[in-house]
Amino acid sequence: MAKRKKSNGLKWIKETLELSPDHRWQSNAGYKVFVAGRGAVRFDVPQDWVFEPDDKSFRFLDASPPNDNCRLEVSFNLLPPADWTLFPLKRTLKKIAEDDERDVIEVGEVVTVPRQTARIVWIEIKFMDPEEHREAFSRICIGLGSNVQCLITFDFWADEAEKLTPVWDEVMRSLTLGLFISDPRTGTALPD
């Protein structure tokens, strides 16, 4: 997808490319690869989920609204070259969770996802949805690596947790930052 500026804001234009027979894109069965910013952010999402681009983020839903039961959303920023290893990622994430304005019932511990080229942390909060009067979870992830910062959120009903936790696990397992792609038809990363 490419974005085009118009006078009324950003507009997304869908562009479909044929993959080369020897492409390098791979995902687990039942999932598809999502790439934003030519590889700034990459992870796998369920193959049948609905994609909704927004002005500053990308959303995936398990069904078209109003029949959806969860929302996975990602945004990212390209950062100036710097040593980001000292940025207080865990403390920042904990503060975000503690400052959440929803009717929070519980705040979990920060989980670190081991990576060689990125720092990735996430936390889970449990809250009461004011409209549905149902318990829900929100998982919040901050990733920082290769001068890319991403924010991923995943909101879902508490009674759907058993079904949806594996989706989050796959997003975290497959999350890659700053592996920029020279040709989307092949999946070949720069400077390959």
Side-chain angles (χ1 to χ4, degrees):
M1 294 205 159
K3 55 183 169 176
R4 175 178 59 178
K5 275 195 172 184
K6 281 196 169 185
S7 59
N8 59 353
L10 294 175
K11 295 291 180 188
W12 294 97
I13 301 167
K14 183 176 181 176
E15 183 179 357
T16 302
L17 301 173
E18 290 293 323
L19 292 176
S20 297
D22 60 344
H23 72 83
R24 296 183 183 179
W25 297 114
Q26 294 181 349
S27 62
N28 286 334
Y31 285 82
K32 60 186 172 186
V33 177
F34 168 73
V35 179
R38 295 192 68 116
V41 177
R42 178 238 188 265
F43 56 84
D44 297 347
V45 294
Q47 194 162 2
D48 58 349
W49 280 22
V50 176
F51 175 69
E52 289 186 345
D54 203 349
D55 286 347
K56 296 183 180 183
S57 65
F58 305 94
R59 262 189 309 272
F60 295 91
L61 309 167
D62 63 335
S64 295
N67 299 319
D68 56 310
N69 283 310
C70 64
R71 177 183 61 233
L72 178 71
E73 190 162 1
V74 61
S75 61
F76 72 94
N77 295 302
L78 300 177
L79 303 173
D83 180 7
W84 294 100
T85 58
L86 299 178
F87 184 81
L89 208 53
K90 286 184 178 182
R91 188 171 66 228
T92 300
L93 182 61
K94 190 75 168 170
K95 180 82 170 127
I96 289 169
E98 290 169 355
D99 290 349
D100 196 289
E101 295 183 359
R102 294 175 281 195
D103 184 10
V104 176
I105 300 166
E106 186 178 311
V107 177
E109 293 298 316
V110 174
V111 176
T112 300
V113 179
R115 289 289 192 285
Q116 289 184 349
T117 60
R119 296 168 54 215
I120 300 170
V121 293
W122 65 270
I123 196 166
E124 178 178 86
I125 62 171
K126 188 176 193 179
F127 64 97
M128 183 62 71
D129 183 83
E131 292 179 22
E132 297 281 335
H133 305 290
R134 287 173 73 182
E135 289 184 351
F137 287 112
S138 184
R139 291 187 174 185
I140 306 161
C141 169
I142 301 175
L144 188 58
S146 301
N147 296 323
V148 175
Q149 175 272 320
C150 76
L151 174 66
I152 302 173
T153 58
F154 188 35
D155 296 340
F156 56 95
W157 300 118
D159 57 9
E160 299 272 331
E162 186 175 334
K163 178 177 85 173
L164 294 171
T165 296
V167 171
W168 179 258
D169 293 344
E170 183 61 16
V171 170
M172 292 295 101
R173 184 202 65 75
S174 61
L175 178 59
T176 305
L177 300 175
L179 186 61
F180 294 96
I181 305 300
S182 58
D183 183 350
R185 294 168 299 173
T186 65
T188 303
L190 292 172
D192 290 351

